[in-house]
């Protein structure tokens, strides 16, 4: 019977601190880029940085870097394809207006969700509905 124990991977604290610092820096990059108007590329940059952060967590904190390489390859490939599919979906959504102008604007511009203070208007509608119901019932 073969022994199926994993080899222990003891990493120095310095490695964990460096990876954590890299994750904080990448988070700052994501926040910084969100303030720059790049159009559809904002989402692409955000997903790219998130993919890199996911790979760092998987490689070092989940020790995929030190396990069988096939696990890392499968994880990285799945993460890459997920990022590509989400990016393609975002480009599809962003380019619907120039391709079909009918879908570029809201169907009903006067909808409640487009008001500046939606919660107040929704609360007012509920209060008005309750008042109408109470006057109709005679209370």
């Amino acid at each position: 019977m073969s022994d199926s124990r994993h080899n222990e991977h003891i990493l120095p604290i310095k490695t964990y601190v460096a990876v954590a610092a890299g994750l904080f820096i990448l988070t700052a990059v994501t926040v910084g880029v969100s303030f720059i108007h790049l159009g559809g590329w904002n989402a692409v940059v955000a997903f790219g940085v998130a993919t890199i952060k996911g790979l760092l967590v998987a490689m070092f904190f989940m020790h995929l870097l030190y396990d069988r390489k096939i696990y890392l390859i499968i994880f990285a490939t799945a993460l890459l394809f997920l990022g590509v599919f989400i990016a393609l979906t975002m480009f599809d959504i962003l380019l619907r207006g120039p391709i079909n102008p009918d879908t570029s604007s809201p169907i009903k511009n006067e909808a409640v969700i487009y008001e500046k203070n939606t919660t107040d208007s929704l609360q007012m509608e509920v209060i008005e509905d309750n008042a109408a119901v109470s006057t109709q019932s005679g209370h």
Side-chain angles (χ1 to χ4, degrees):
M1 199 164 168
S2 68
D3 189 17
S4 63
R5 286 183 289 167
H6 290 5
N7 292 334
E8 294 296 324
H9 307 293
I10 300 174
L11 294 177
I13 297 294
K14 190 186 305 184
T15 303
Y16 289 118
V17 171
V19 172
L23 292 172
F24 284 124
I25 290 169
L26 289 172
T27 300
V29 167
T30 303
V31 172
V33 169
S34 72
F35 290 110
I36 301 170
H37 181 67
L38 299 175
W41 288 100
N42 278 88
V44 175
V45 170
F47 283 121
V49 171
T51 302
I52 294 169
K53 287 168 52 177
L55 283 172
L56 281 174
V57 168
M59 287 190 317
F60 292 100
F61 293 119
M62 296 171 62
H63 298 277
L64 282 180
L65 187 63
Y66 307 104
D67 210 346
R68 293 184 183 163
K69 296 303 177 204
I70 189 70
Y71 299 144
L72 179 60
I73 292 169
I74 290 171
F75 181 79
T77 304
L79 203 57
L80 176 72
F81 276 104
L82 177 66
V84 166
F85 292 143
I86 290 174
L88 289 175
T89 302
M90 295 301 290
F91 276 127
D92 176 53
I93 290 170
L94 291 171
L95 294 176
R96 286 185 182 179
I99 294 171
N100 187 2
D102 294 336
T103 61
S104 65
S105 63
I107 295 172
K108 182 179 177 186
N109 288 328
E110 299 83 26
V112 174
I113 63 169
Y114 297 113
E115 292 180 12
K116 291 201 184 285
N117 200 347
T118 307
T119 56
D120 289 342
S121 63
L122 290 176
Q123 289 172 353
M124 290 304 296
E125 287 179 15
V126 170
I127 291 170
E128 290 170 0
D129 290 343
N130 288 341
V133 168
S134 65
T135 56
Q136 289 175 356
S137 64
H139 292 96

